[in-house]
Amino acid sequence: MEDNFTAVGEQMHQLITSLYPICRSITGDGVRQSFEIIKKFIPLAVYEVPSGKKVFDWNVPKEWNIRDAYIKNTRGEKIIDFKNSNLHVLNYSIPVHKKVQLAELKEHLHSIPEHPDWIPYRTSYYNEAWGFCISHNQLISLEEGEYEVFIDSSLEEGSLTYAECFIPGKLSDEVLIFTHTCHPSLCNDNLSGISLSVFLIRHLMQQKRRYSYRFVFAPTTIGSIVWLAENESNVFKIKHGLICTLVGDTNEFTYKRSRQHSAEIDQIAEYVLKRKSTENKIIDFFPFGYDERQFCSPGFDLPVGRISRATYGVYPEYHTSADNLEFVKASALQESLNIFEEIIEVIETNKRYINQSPKGEAQLGKRGLYSVIGANNEKMHFQLALLWVLNASDGSQSLLDIARKANMKFEDIKNAADRLFECGLLKEKDS
Ligand code: ZN
């Protein structure tokens, strides 16, 4: 362990703090700027896909950039300033500069009456519009009169930017971790996922790896569709996948199963989360949410699940200015990182073996693995694990399958398998 518990969580929070001010969207310089910062932590390959390119049933949208925006009142005072919060501008707003009366202005204002101090986050990617987001208290205090609205943005042919970090392992089989990158100053959604991915990459780069790992950083929905379209010929390599988002709050974990329902990743995530806390939730796949929708579309049906804490869309701070640097906690980020690391540890070691002496029980005593005299509980438990592994290792069952069947800890079954492998009683399947 190169870092202590809180230190990594603090570093994860610091990375979120440095990315927080940037105005990101599904395209544009905010995304590129964010990748430049991430590149200081990990190697990253950045890809640009041109506007208009057809990707399955979609087209890559025009590129959006914004430099400034404000609303001035009759006295010429800025009452809304993009420089104070990038949430103030409807994401993907077309440029505008004109004077409007209050009634017309209000048609372009968005607020949340239930949380009158918060600024909402709103987007209009596929419908050209302009607008501002403001606190409800400010909206109801606006006086009649003429307002100057100004949005210095551009919506032009350009490209969509996504990035990958590939960490090769012994196998060409891949584990995919996907996190979205398109939200502006919002922390849990999605900076927590970005930060977790970055620190998970740093951890994995120091480990011996059986699988290869591919981390994808891309905008939600259109980004995963673009990535799938660009990489269609290689998706067969994905053996396990996780969508990583909403991992910085202090709620219990939720694992959303893949469309396959009981893929190996589904079993492993469920096992790790449930042994951590019975409060953690496992939910079935449904075709709504984040990018699991694309990876689990019927034409791909990949074994990709999702790990989140706060449930999608139902926590009050979701898509508001209250999803800020105080809402995400260093300790929660660290805890989430640990969960991903534990899941990967099981993925790496959840092998299938073939018993090399399957006719009758192998004689464990002559290999020093069986002692009747002076057997204590611990030894008995170990011997039982040995017998389970030997009996179940016909190549069809993974160590996790065996652990569940034996009602024993995965680690105990794995240790037994390691010992049996060392003395030649097991061979790895497919190696
Ligand atoms: Zn979101």
Side-chain angles (χ1 to χ4, degrees):
M1 281 253 221
E2 77 284 14
D3 297 294
N4 68 39
F5 189 82
T6 45
V8 176
E10 292 296 341
Q11 288 172 42
M12 292 169 79
H13 197 277
Q14 277 166 21
L15 174 58
I16 291 177
T17 307
S18 60
L19 293 167
Y20 182 65
I22 301 171
C23 185
R24 279 164 296 273
S25 184
I26 54 174
T27 62
D29 289 332
V31 180
R32 296 185 188 103
Q33 218 182 318
S34 302
F35 288 157
E36 286 305 313
I37 291 174
I38 295 170
K39 271 185 187 172
K40 293 177 189 161
F41 292 79
I42 50 160
L44 204 60
V46 177
Y47 299 89
E48 302 280 351
V49 183
S51 303
K53 183 168 185 180
K54 190 161 166 56
V55 282
F56 305 126
D57 200 38
W58 298 60
N59 291 293
V60 175
K62 288 179 182 169
E63 181 178 324
W64 185 70
N65 282 294
I66 180 157
R67 289 155 291 275
D68 196 11
Y70 58 75
I71 302 175
K72 281 183 181 171
N73 65 14
T74 331
R75 293 182 291 280
E77 299 156 347
K78 275 188 193 175
I79 57 159
I80 291 288
D81 191 346
F82 171 76
K83 293 192 170 84
N84 293 336
S85 169
N86 56 41
L87 298 179
H88 275 315
V89 172
L90 176 73
N91 204 284
Y92 251 68
S93 265
I94 55 171
V96 65
H97 191 192
K98 62 178 177 177
K99 293 196 169 160
V100 293
Q101 292 300 316
L102 180 62
E104 186 185 346
L105 176 63
K106 277 187 170 170
E107 289 170 21
H108 296 270
L109 297 182
H110 306 269
S111 71
I112 321 168
E114 311 86 75
H115 296 288
D117 293 326
W118 299 352
I119 307 164
Y121 161 58
R122 295 278 189 276
T123 65
S124 187
Y125 302 137
Y126 303 104
N127 176 28
E128 291 196 0
W130 65 268
F132 288 89
C133 301
I134 73 172
S135 74
H136 196 66
N137 283 338
Q138 188 176 16
L139 186 139
I140 57 179
S141 73
L142 294 176
E143 297 159 5
E144 287 297 333
E146 192 178 63
Y147 290 85
E148 180 187 347
V149 293
F150 176 66
I151 298 176
D152 180 13
S153 64
S154 55
L155 188 57
E156 302 164 332
E157 297 299 310
S159 56
L160 177 148
T161 314
Y162 73 87
E164 273 190 20
C165 177
F166 180 70
I167 317 172
K170 206 174 127 207
L171 304 175
S172 60
D173 290 347
E174 294 183 6
V175 178
L176 175 84
I177 312 276
F178 182 97
T179 193
H180 64 275
T181 52
C182 47
H183 292 39
S185 292
L186 296 167
C187 287
N188 205 31
D189 183 16
N190 50 200
L191 294 177
S192 66
I194 295 175
S195 183
L196 190 148
S197 294
V198 167
F199 283 85
L200 185 57
I201 289 165
R202 283 161 63 113
H203 166 79
L204 279 169
M205 287 173 75
Q206 296 166 2
Q207 306 288 312
K208 250 191 170 174
R209 297 169 304 269
R210 187 160 70 103
Y211 282 98
S212 297
Y213 288 80
R214 191 176 299 278
F215 286 76
V216 178
F217 300 83
T220 197
T221 307
I222 186 67
S224 44
I225 290 171
V226 163
W227 188 85
L228 283 163
E230 298 278 297
N231 295 281
E232 191 173 0
S233 59
N234 281 320
V235 296
F236 72 94
K237 292 181 188 165
I238 298 171
K239 299 296 183 253
H240 316 283
L242 289 170
I243 307 293
C244 169
T245 185
L246 309 178
V247 289
D249 61 277
T250 54
N251 290 283
E252 300 300 329
F253 290 90
T254 299
Y255 177 73
K256 179 178 172 182
R257 292 177 189 278
S258 73
R259 184 176 179 272
Q260 297 182 14
H261 191 266
S262 56
E264 193 175 333
I265 185 64
D266 299 322
Q267 296 174 28
I268 291 173
E270 176 170 355
Y271 174 78
V272 170
L273 288 180
K274 282 291 178 191
R275 81 171 171 191
K276 208 77 181 166
S277 161
T278 49
E279 300 292 303
N280 289 333
K281 289 195 288 286
I282 311 297
I283 57 174
D284 283 335
F285 177 80
F286 55 98
F288 189 64
Y290 287 103
D291 294 278
E292 65 276 9
R293 291 154 66 175
Q294 313 313 327
F295 294 101
C296 297
S297 56
F300 288 104
D301 199 17
L302 293 166
V304 176
R306 190 187 83 209
I307 295 186
S308 315
R309 304 189 72 150
T311 312
Y312 174 85
V314 300
Y315 61 108
E317 294 84 357
Y318 173 78
H319 281 193
T320 76
S321 55
D323 181 358
N324 57 23
L325 291 165
E326 284 74 50
F327 185 65
V328 291
K329 307 286 183 219
S331 56
L333 290 160
Q334 173 71 67
E335 198 183 11
S336 300
L337 177 66
N338 291 349
I339 286 285
F340 274 78
E341 290 176 1
E342 284 178 39
I343 289 173
I344 286 173
E345 179 66 25
V346 178
I347 290 174
E348 284 283 319
T349 52
N350 189 33
K351 297 177 183 174
R352 285 174 169 73
Y353 290 96
I354 297 173
N355 182 342
Q356 300 300 295
S357 179
K359 292 181 177 167
E361 275 182 0
Q363 195 186 349
L364 297 176
K366 70 179 182 191
R367 296 176 172 92
L369 293 172
Y370 202 86
S371 59
V372 180
I373 302 160
N376 57 24
N377 279 349
E378 202 181 318
K379 275 184 187 161
M380 291 293 284
H381 185 78
F382 177 63
Q383 284 166 11
L384 189 59
L386 293 171
L387 295 174
W388 266 110
V389 173
L390 282 171
N391 189 275
S393 287
D394 56 6
S396 71
Q397 299 177 66
S398 71
L399 295 183
L400 182 60
D401 293 331
I402 301 169
R404 283 161 28 134
K405 196 177 276 187
N407 198 21
M408 295 174 96
K409 281 200 224 157
F410 175 79
E411 280 69 23
D412 293 347
I413 292 292
K414 183 195 160 287
N415 289 339
D418 287 347
R419 290 297 303 279
L420 293 166
F421 181 78
E422 282 163 19
C423 67
L425 281 172
L426 292 182
K427 245 192 191 157
E428 265 184 62
K429 201 196 171 197
D430 311 321
S431 71

